[in-house]
Amino acid sequence: MDEFKACNMLDYFPENILIDVLSYLSVRELVRAGRVCKRWKRLVKDQRLWRFVDLTAWKGVTSRILWLLLRQYLGCGLRCLRLRGLLLSARGGTFLSESWLKALSTRCPRLSKLYLLHADLRSLPSCQLLPPSLQVLELRGCELPREFFNQTLTSPACSQERAEATSSVGAQQQGRDRKGKGLGSPSGIGIGRLVLNNVPSFTDQHLQSLTSWERLSRLELRDTFRVTANGLRSSAAKDGVCGVEGLSRLKFLEIGITGRQGYQLQMASLGLGAGWLGLEELSLGGKEVGPGLLCASRLKDLKCLCLWACTLSEMQIVRSCRMLRGLRQLEFLDVIFQPRQCPPVVEGEGGGAGGGEEQDNEEAAGGDNGNDENKTLDMNDPIPSLRRSLAVLLPSCTLVFTNCSVQINAD
């Protein structure tokens, strides 16, 4: 009887408090909580609980479960959706279908971010099937078709319109006008940030297809081993016959290869040597840092530079930053700095007049023995010296060091 009364005490809690409590549950636990009673079922369907939906931890999510969530729970409150595909699953099968993506676009018109993990997207002809409200698309470990990023999509409806257009000259001209408006209108792919992490199927052809995206301003390429320097050079924003060609709206570019055995290093960052109009922020990581620093001086509009997950020397950084006079921020993230190479002491130096100074300093040397270790560390630590060198080269640049360390030699 006491347990029954304790359970009924939940009826006296305000719904706002209950919704806050339910917000700590995962998606799978929320679905189970909706089966407790009618009141909980109504509370679980509140859109405040379905703004950020993460299904990556729910293993075994099939298309049937996705349809169930879309019909009963997902709605206009959804902002961010994270899904795990069946690419590494033994069962396999179709994960994202065209009908489900169309229903997602209708029921969730405010969805702005989509994250796909280990999803096989080769069954989708184009990314235009994704919700048009997307602003951020992140793909990790996914398989892509060859023309996934193209904006032109051939469908039965389009082929029927073309057949009707060819029936008469006037209809044909009207079809051409519609086609021209469709290609030139800003209502195409509205994604502004594209993140590709460990997508081996992403090639130079996909990169070239991104030049037709009118709103793409941030592009992050991590472990995209098939992107070459020629592909990056052909997609760079440059002056053409009809104005600026390529990825003209791109402001942020990240290229990083953290190292995987069995793949040939393409050094795609060498493609930056041809220049890139309008590129203000550049992030280089792993094995792309060295080639990228050689070409960073060609980026006239560069203001922020981030170097991460690499090993650098003080001389390498100073030589690369001499030509980056317009740099406003230089960030080092998870960088291992090589120790400074101290010049050898020649025997016989300091003799003559210097001998008297050594005798005068013998008494003070006894008090400085406790700081000898700290002085040695400061001489080997390149970070203070690097700060002083960059302060002279780039007086208006802000330096940021995050989780950096100094390499310790065995000698």
Side-chain angles (χ1 to χ4, degrees), residues 267-393:
M267 292 189 293
S269 55
L270 290 177
L272 300 174
W276 198 304
L277 297 179
L279 188 63
E280 299 179 355
E281 301 180 33
L282 177 63
S283 178
L284 300 173
K287 299 179 181 179
E288 293 289 351
V289 174
L293 286 177
L294 296 176
C295 305
S297 59
R298 303 294 183 90
L299 305 177
K300 304 301 181 181
D301 301 325
L302 188 63
K303 297 180 181 179
C304 300
L305 177 61
C306 179
L307 307 176
W308 49 276
C310 59
T311 302
L312 295 173
S313 63
E314 179 185 357
M315 186 63 64
Q316 185 180 4
I317 299 173
V318 172
R319 288 179 178 177
S320 302
C321 293
R322 287 178 179 174
M323 303 300 294
L324 301 177
R325 298 295 182 178
L327 206 62
R328 294 296 178 264
Q329 181 175 346
L330 179 58
E331 181 178 0
F332 299 94
L333 177 61
D334 295 330
V335 175
I336 301 177
F337 292 98
Q338 296 179 358
R340 297 183 62 193
Q341 301 295 333
C342 300
V345 179
V346 181
E347 296 182 0
E349 279 190 358
E357 295 180 359
E358 292 180 358
Q359 293 177 359
D360 296 336
N361 294 333
E362 285 181 356
E363 297 179 358
D368 293 340
N369 288 334
N371 297 328
D372 287 344
E373 296 182 359
N374 295 333
K375 290 183 179 179
T376 304
L377 292 177
D378 293 339
M379 294 177 61
N380 294 332
D381 189 1
I383 296 181
S385 176
L386 182 62
R387 286 182 180 273
R388 292 190 294 268
S389 302
L390 293 179
V392 177
L393 294 176

Side-chain angles (χ1 to χ4, degrees), residues 140-158:
R140 182 172 183 178
C142 299
E143 287 292 338
L144 305 176
R146 182 172 299 179
E147 300 179 354
F148 183 72
F149 294 110
N150 292 347
Q151 290 207 49
T152 56
L153 177 61
T154 57
S155 61
C158 295

Side-chain angles (χ1 to χ4, degrees), residues 91-118:
R91 293 181 297 177
T94 304
F95 179 64
L96 295 178
S97 60
E98 297 185 19
S99 57
W100 188 85
L101 290 175
K102 292 180 181 179
L104 180 65
S105 305
T106 304
R107 292 186 57 86
C108 306
R110 299 180 181 178
L111 178 62
S112 59
K113 183 177 181 179
L114 179 61
Y115 172 85
L116 299 178
L117 172 65
H118 299 158

Side-chain angles (χ1 to χ4, degrees), residues 20-34:
D20 290 340
V21 174
L22 292 174
S23 63
Y24 291 94
L25 301 179
S26 62
V27 176
R28 195 169 188 175
E29 293 171 342
L30 275 178
V31 175
R32 291 178 178 177

